[in-house]
Amino acid sequence: MVVSSSVLPINPSDHFQELNKTITCKQIHENYMDSSIIDLILLSDSSSTQHEAELRKLQSVLTSWSSFQLINHGLSSSLLNQIRQVGKEFFALPLEVKQKQSSTLDSYEGYGGDRVKNDRLRLKVSPLDQRNLKIWPESLPNFRETLEDYNTEISRVLEMILNAIAKSLNIEENRFFKTCGGEEGINIYARFNYYPPCSSSSGQFLSLEPHSDGTILTILLQDKQVEGLQVEKDNQWFKVPIVPDALFINIGDQLEIMSNGILKSVVHKVVISDKENERTSIAIGCVPHPDKEIGPFDEFIDRERPQLYNKVTNYFGVLFHNKYRRGERGITSVKLNLERYT
Ligand SMILES: O=C(O)CCC(=O)C(=O)O
Ligand SMILES: [Fe+2]
């Protein structure tokens, strides 16, 4: 079923017409990315004999792909199915009901779509007292409870992953988590995505333009059946396979900044070729508290590797979105001009 949608506050064709000025990828590559499966139990259990090896694997996968498939994360299949289900139920609502959740130009939250390419609903889920419950769909009985449960589980996973990444980079375990505001301070946004089946005669449709996320990292639950996500590596595109019940984790711009470029945010896009089935996904964007200053950690700066990024505050709310609206990458405005290192 194809769902009609509201008018996007920003014209999508303007939105991305300059995109290729900053995001270029020379070759279409139909290969899948390597199996980069990371096991959260092994990562977090330091008494396991495989713990060190899993940390090394994490480091290597992050260096090559800036993203990975997380298994053994502790979220039950039934919770994953429920969150997918409430997302699908939302997009199936009549347009005028969805529009009650409409996003406005001055707000990142709400419902928006561009009729042809994709629909999305963005909601701030954490901190709890900043939920804008007025725009949480109220006609769907399980929506709120399911998103709350999902958020609780995702927050747990977020802390564990950030700690494991810190450990894999040989810095204090809770360094990223604490710097970004910790449990009370880190902001969590849910973005429900809907992609209609491909109606293009070319057999493929670019449904979400290439971008990197302005987050620390993003935790994505892919559709169970319909693939479409692709990541860029070495100027080529690679398809992201569907790994049942895995969460796909990708590095966002703010981890690139904090790691002084040792980690890189990944450019990704969605290409739909399925002509019959819609695709949905749920992306959880994890963002530092807007008052926290984010900059390259001292641990990653030395004579060989000088500071490569400016310090920023509220990067997600201001710099990233100003650039994103114009189809450009926010990270370019934070990079210091030291070309040979970046
Ligand atoms: O739908 C997907 O697979 C990717 C979504 C995405 O990149 C995003 O919401 O930022
Ligand atoms: Fe994204």
Side-chain angles (χ1 to χ4, degrees):
M1 182 184 54
V2 179
V3 180
S4 56
S5 59
S6 73
V7 180
L8 189 76
I10 308 137
N11 179 345
S13 53
D14 293 348
H15 206 153
F16 286 103
Q17 67 190 0
E18 289 188 57
L19 194 82
N20 288 330
K21 287 188 188 162
T22 52
I23 303 174
T24 50
C25 191
K26 295 191 181 71
Q27 194 182 323
I28 302 285
H29 210 282
E30 288 297 313
N31 282 348
Y32 284 92
M33 70 183 282
D34 285 357
S35 117
S36 47
I37 293 180
I38 298 291
D39 183 321
L40 189 57
I41 292 183
L42 296 182
L43 270 190
S44 43
D45 177 7
S46 53
S47 66
S48 160
T49 50
Q50 294 167 62
H51 176 65
E52 282 303 321
E54 200 66 9
L55 282 175
R56 296 285 77 81
K57 184 173 171 195
L58 175 68
Q59 191 190 30
S60 134
V61 159
L62 285 177
T63 311
S64 32
W65 293 101
S66 300
S67 56
F68 58 92
Q69 305 269 7
L70 186 73
I71 60 163
N72 283 335
H73 43 59
L75 276 78
S76 67
S77 295
S78 90
L79 181 58
L80 301 181
N81 287 339
Q82 277 167 30
I83 192 80
R84 288 190 178 106
Q85 180 61 24
V86 294
K88 283 182 197 292
E89 283 169 7
F90 171 76
F91 291 117
L93 289 171
L95 178 59
E96 60 280 10
V97 179
K98 285 187 284 187
Q99 281 177 332
K100 287 201 188 134
Q101 274 83 36
S102 275
S103 53
T104 55
L105 257 183
D106 58 356
S107 163
Y108 179 72
E109 286 193 81
Y111 169 69
D114 56 23
R115 290 202 176 90
V116 183
K117 294 182 159 189
N118 62 33
D119 263 15
R120 57 201 161 273
L121 172 67
R122 290 183 281 225
L123 299 171
K124 190 170 193 172
V125 283
S126 217
L128 304 193
D129 60 358
Q130 288 174 28
R131 288 180 183 169
N132 192 353
L133 293 173
K134 281 199 305 284
I135 57 167
W136 287 40
E138 51 186 4
S139 59
L140 300 174
N142 296 328
F143 189 97
R144 186 174 293 191
E145 205 184 314
T146 306
L147 186 51
E148 274 168 5
D149 290 352
Y150 193 67
N151 178 53
T152 306
E153 287 294 289
I154 287 289
S155 304
R156 172 185 59 78
V157 169
L158 169 68
E159 183 173 358
M160 289 167 87
I161 304 172
L162 283 179
N163 290 355
I165 295 178
K167 220 170 159 186
S168 78
L169 296 174
N170 299 317
I171 60 169
E172 197 192 325
E173 195 167 337
N174 61 2
R175 187 82 161 87
F176 290 122
F177 190 68
K178 238 174 33 193
T179 303
C180 296
E183 200 176 326
E184 306 293 311
I186 291 184
N187 285 201
I188 295 186
Y189 290 87
R191 173 168 157 157
F192 291 83
N193 295 300
Y194 170 90
Y195 307 93
C198 172
S199 55
S200 155
S201 53
S202 72
Q204 281 204 330
F205 199 71
L206 178 62
S207 297
L208 184 61
E209 283 81 356
H211 66 283
S212 60
D213 296 339
T215 56
I216 310 163
L217 52 78
T218 303
I219 304 178
L220 180 83
L221 180 63
Q222 288 210 77
D223 195 280
K224 254 180 140 169
Q225 266 106 32
V226 183
E227 53 184 41
L229 180 61
Q230 299 189 8
V231 293
E232 197 214 317
K233 174 175 156 55
D234 304 332
N235 256 335
Q236 296 180 347
W237 289 110
F238 292 86
K239 295 187 194 176
V240 177
I242 296 171
V243 177
D245 285 357
L247 294 168
F248 186 72
I249 314 294
N250 70 264
I251 300 293
D253 290 349
Q254 306 215 42
L255 210 43
E256 175 168 337
I257 297 169
M258 286 184 280
S259 70
N260 199 24
I262 291 172
L263 302 176
K264 294 272 195 285
S265 61
V266 64
V267 173
H268 52 287
K269 65 177 180 178
V270 175
V271 178
I272 296 292
S273 51
D274 194 311
K275 291 193 174 337
E276 270 143 43
N277 303 297
E278 64 196 28
R279 176 177 188 272
T280 57
S281 68
I282 299 119
I284 300 289
C286 309
V287 180
H289 188 283
D291 292 346
K292 295 276 175 195
E293 187 179 68
I294 298 298
F297 288 177
D298 290 344
E299 297 90 315
F300 300 128
I301 300 173
D302 58 25
R303 276 166 62 109
E304 268 79 59
R305 191 172 189 86
Q307 180 176 343
L308 298 176
Y309 302 80
N310 277 316
K311 294 181 176 165
V312 276
T313 309
N314 197 10
Y315 170 79
F316 184 71
V318 183
L319 260 178
F320 173 78
H321 275 111
N322 287 344
K323 288 279 182 184
Y324 186 80
R325 282 202 175 100
R326 299 202 296 267
E328 294 170 17
R329 290 192 67 191
I331 195 82
T332 54
S333 52
V334 187
K335 273 186 186 165
L336 293 166
N337 197 13
L338 295 166
E339 283 298 326
R340 93 188 157 89
Y341 294 98
T342 47

